[in-house]
Amino acid sequence: MWMALDRTRYMQSSKTFVLVDRPFWKNPHYDVEAQSLSMTLTDRLTRGTYLFDYGLERPAVICLTYSWMGDALKMLPLSMEKRTRLSLSSLLKIYPHVDIASHIKSNPVTISWELEENFLGAFKGALPGHYRYNRMMYTHFYQRTFPMEQRGVFLAGDDISFTPGWAEGAIQTALNAVWGVLHHLGGQSHPQNPGPGDCLILMRTPIPGPTKVAKVSVMGRCFTKP
């Protein structure tokens, strides 16, 4: 288990946001073809640019740049001001008639996740051959076969799930951990509403009969399929 945790690989990521006076990229009729600026994916420095608004007459937010891995490392040594300046310069080459800087109303906000305390990066990115480590972490909540001194610690979070970077994985592993705590303290699931660990037992137990039947667990529910 410790090997699985130690070899978990995290991806670097960088984002830079600016607050603007209004969603100037929209006109009153929300005509997409008339937009002066839109969500942008490019091979330039910014990589990904995203737009957020709460109505035509309210302030809006632009994520000037969202980059991963090697592209995020290029941003790592740069100050907030330089990240913003380079991003605006890059976008100006794509949208030469749009003056984004004139709409900015506050200091930019930037983050490089790998620099944050208690964060190893933005999210997990498994390498080839790491599936077995992922399975060890995901099923760690089922501790009936563990030595007594190794029981009682339960893990949850998208980075130990099979869908890293998404809330679904965090929710699934949280339900797993709740089931583990419940059984560690002597409780059990209702027979008509089996929990993740109960489904895991069914998956590992051969089912007698003329046909082979597999039990699968989805979000704490057991389903039977041929």
Side-chain angles (χ1 to χ4, degrees):
M1 181 61 188
W2 291 116
M3 181 182 294
L5 293 172
D6 184 62
R7 294 189 178 181
T8 297
R9 170 180 173 268
Y10 285 85
M11 296 179 65
Q12 299 89 1
S13 179
S14 171
K15 293 181 180 180
T16 300
F17 296 89
V18 291
L19 179 70
V20 295
D21 54 359
R22 59 186 176 82
F24 58 88
W25 53 87
K26 289 186 173 180
N27 66 22
H29 300 292
Y30 289 86
D31 185 354
V32 175
E33 294 184 357
Q35 289 186 5
S36 59
L37 179 69
S38 63
M39 191 278 286
T40 306
L41 299 178
T42 176
D43 58 357
R44 295 180 182 271
L45 180 71
T46 51
R47 293 302 185 185
T49 298
Y50 301 89
L51 313 174
F52 307 90
D53 74 274
Y54 302 93
L56 291 177
E57 302 304 323
R58 301 183 65 183
V61 172
I62 301 177
C63 176
L64 293 175
T65 171
Y66 178 22
S67 57
W68 300 344
M69 299 300 287
D71 296 314
L73 290 177
K74 296 173 185 176
M75 291 287 190
L76 190 60
L78 305 181
S79 66
M80 175 183 66
E81 292 77 11
K82 192 166 186 178
R83 294 185 188 193
T84 305
R85 185 170 68 253
L86 289 174
S87 297
L88 290 173
S89 176
S90 180
L91 289 170
L92 187 61
K93 292 180 174 66
I94 302 173
Y95 303 101
H97 303 295
V98 181
D99 185 6
I100 299 175
S102 65
H103 293 276
I104 297 177
K105 294 302 179 183
S106 67
N107 292 329
V109 176
T110 188
I111 187 170
S112 289
W113 287 107
E114 59 274 18
L115 286 179
E116 296 298 301
E117 186 176 3
N118 300 322
F119 285 83
L120 300 176
F123 45 83
K124 181 182 70 175
L127 293 171
H130 280 195
Y131 183 87
R132 63 185 185 276
Y133 300 139
N134 212 141
R135 183 176 178 83
M136 288 178 189
M137 293 186 290
Y138 186 81
T139 60
H140 181 262
F141 72 97
Y142 185 83
Q143 301 183 1
R144 290 183 179 177
T145 59
F146 288 15
M148 289 301 298
E149 66 274 12
Q150 295 182 12
R151 302 182 186 183
V153 175
F154 299 92
L155 307 176
D158 66 283
D159 51 352
I160 66 166
S161 75
F162 289 96
T163 52
W166 299 94
E168 179 185 6
I171 294 171
Q172 288 178 339
T173 54
L175 292 174
N176 291 350
V178 169
W179 184 93
V181 171
L182 175 69
H183 281 253
H184 182 70
L185 298 177
Q188 61 182 0
S189 306
H190 191 281
Q192 295 182 359
N193 186 27
D198 303 310
C199 295
L200 194 63
I201 297 171
L202 291 173
M203 291 173 65
R204 293 177 173 179
T205 304
I207 302 174
T211 60
K212 294 182 178 180
V213 178
K215 296 279 186 173
V216 296
S217 171
V218 180
M219 292 292 289
R221 298 280 185 172
C222 292
F223 298 89
T224 304
K225 69 176 184 178

